Amino acid sequence: MDEQTEQFDGDWLSLREPFDARARNPELARALMDHLDEKGRPRFLDLGAGTGSLTRWLGHYVGRAHAWVMADADAELMARAFDTMMDAAEAIGWRATWPQRKVLLLHAPEGAWRIEGVLTNLVEAPEGLPLQNVDAVTCSALCDLVSEAWVTRLAAELARRKLPFYAALNVTGRERFMPPCPGDALVARGFARDQRREKGFGGMALGASATDTIARVFAGHGYRVLRGASPWLIPRQARDMALELALGHAEAALRHERRGAAQIQAWAETRADQAEAGLLSARVEHQDILCLPG
């Protein structure tokens, strides 16, 4: 994301990546690949690519040579994405080469992955996006941050070009920390309010209404819409993830529940102690959505 929008730390994105990978719905990934089956070498545009987590996960479903354009406004995250791509490839025995500047080739057994990065301000999307050179547009953990106006503009342009849209890991507004703790309801209420604040995309963030909004807008253009559950499951053993998740919820809640600040702070301290002791687990509901042109 760029400096005008919600920013994400690369360490946080790396911490959450294995949980994202386990959460994303494989049935929707396969449905997208079925739709692209006639494309000899499908080309994907990943919006808000961050450190490349979705590219690394979804690319394994393609099963043949393909290409990615990772679009983000954060140059540091983009550089980290390419470093991580090479490390991940080498870890499984793939060769990585640079045939030209800013283009990485990962030589997988089923065919090479061609990966390039584009620094672009997603706030004005679809303006500035290389849509003329892709077969599908993807994103992960993005659409609950954007506005309805943003989705409306993007949907109109993708419909004009008859491009599918795949959006993974959209929050649904349902999360639960275990064991129960005083302050759970207050933190949940503040966190839900924070999900709907303006986050730099030209209007109130969609938050938990993201998939309903996407489904309605794309269906209005004649798209077939598929949805699938993609919950984060954070076990007690994942102490760092549980800790960061709880502290993030508390920080967000404090922005909107000032009168309850003392209770939220006490909640955060209790949850931090539980996480460090290996006693805190969580479930955060998400939903993936796939919109296929008719």
Side-chain angles (χ1 to χ4, degrees):
M1 319 302 291
D2 75 4
E3 62 185 5
Q4 299 177 356
T5 62
E6 194 83 347
Q7 296 184 17
F8 294 102
D9 176 76
D11 291 340
W12 162 244
L13 296 179
S14 295
L15 178 63
R16 63 176 283 174
E17 180 167 354
F19 301 95
D20 287 351
R22 285 192 288 269
R24 293 190 189 102
N25 192 292
E27 292 183 9
L28 264 63
R30 286 190 283 267
L32 174 59
M33 298 313 155
D34 288 344
H35 178 79
L36 298 173
D37 188 54
E38 294 182 359
K39 303 291 183 180
R41 184 173 175 270
R43 302 161 298 174
F44 300 87
L45 171 63
D46 189 31
L47 305 180
T51 58
S53 170
L54 181 62
T55 299
R56 284 188 289 279
W57 181 82
L58 192 57
H60 289 282
Y61 284 84
V62 183
R64 60 192 185 278
H66 62 282
W68 285 91
V69 176
M70 299 189 301
D72 205 290
D74 191 320
E76 291 185 7
L77 287 182
M78 186 70 69
R80 186 164 178 162
F82 278 97
D83 289 342
T84 307
M85 287 287 180
M86 289 192 296
D87 291 344
E90 292 172 359
I92 58 177
W94 294 1
R95 187 167 57 93
T97 60
W98 294 86
Q100 62 191 78
R101 188 169 180 264
K102 297 183 179 180
V103 174
L104 173 66
L105 278 185
L106 303 181
H107 298 272
E110 69 276 12
W113 301 21
R114 184 186 189 277
I115 302 168
E116 64 178 298
V118 172
L119 292 175
T120 184
N121 186 343
L122 295 179
V123 172
E124 302 301 326
E127 183 179 335
L129 298 179
L131 296 173
Q132 70 279 6
N133 296 319
V134 300
D135 300 305
V137 176
T138 70
C139 63
S140 184
L142 172 68
C143 286
D144 43 51
L145 306 176
V146 305
S147 65
E148 181 169 349
W150 189 93
V151 170
T152 299
R153 293 196 312 269
L154 182 66
E157 183 62 20
L158 298 193
R160 187 177 75 83
R161 298 175 181 273
K162 298 182 179 179
L163 292 174
F165 181 60
Y166 167 83
L169 296 178
N170 306 287
V171 298
T172 68
R174 297 188 299 277
E175 59 269 329
R176 184 183 184 188
F177 289 91
M178 291 296 292
C181 175
D184 280 349
L186 177 63
V187 171
R189 185 176 70 191
F191 184 73
R193 291 177 64 187
D194 190 71
Q195 287 183 323
R196 298 304 305 271
R197 66 179 168 86
E198 224 286 344
K199 297 185 178 180
F201 286 93
M204 185 172 63
L206 292 174
S209 68
T211 51
D212 285 345
T213 301
I214 292 168
R216 172 172 50 80
V217 172
F218 276 86
H221 288 284
Y223 276 68
R224 180 166 63 98
V225 177
L226 306 175
R227 305 197 210 191
S230 51
W232 262 358
L233 304 176
I234 316 300
R236 294 189 301 273
Q237 298 85 347
R239 300 182 184 189
D240 290 344
M241 182 64 178
L243 174 62
E244 289 299 319
L245 190 62
L247 294 182
H249 273 64
E251 180 182 359
L254 281 170
R255 296 190 186 107
H256 306 278
E257 302 291 344
R258 301 295 178 87
R259 293 181 180 179
Q263 187 178 7
I264 293 172
Q265 186 61 41
W267 183 92
E269 292 173 359
T270 297
R271 291 309 196 187
D273 290 342
Q274 291 172 339
E276 291 171 4
L279 300 174
L280 180 62
S281 63
R283 181 184 178 102
V284 181
E285 300 293 342
H286 297 90
Q287 191 175 69
D288 296 354
I289 187 166
L290 173 61
C291 304
L292 299 173

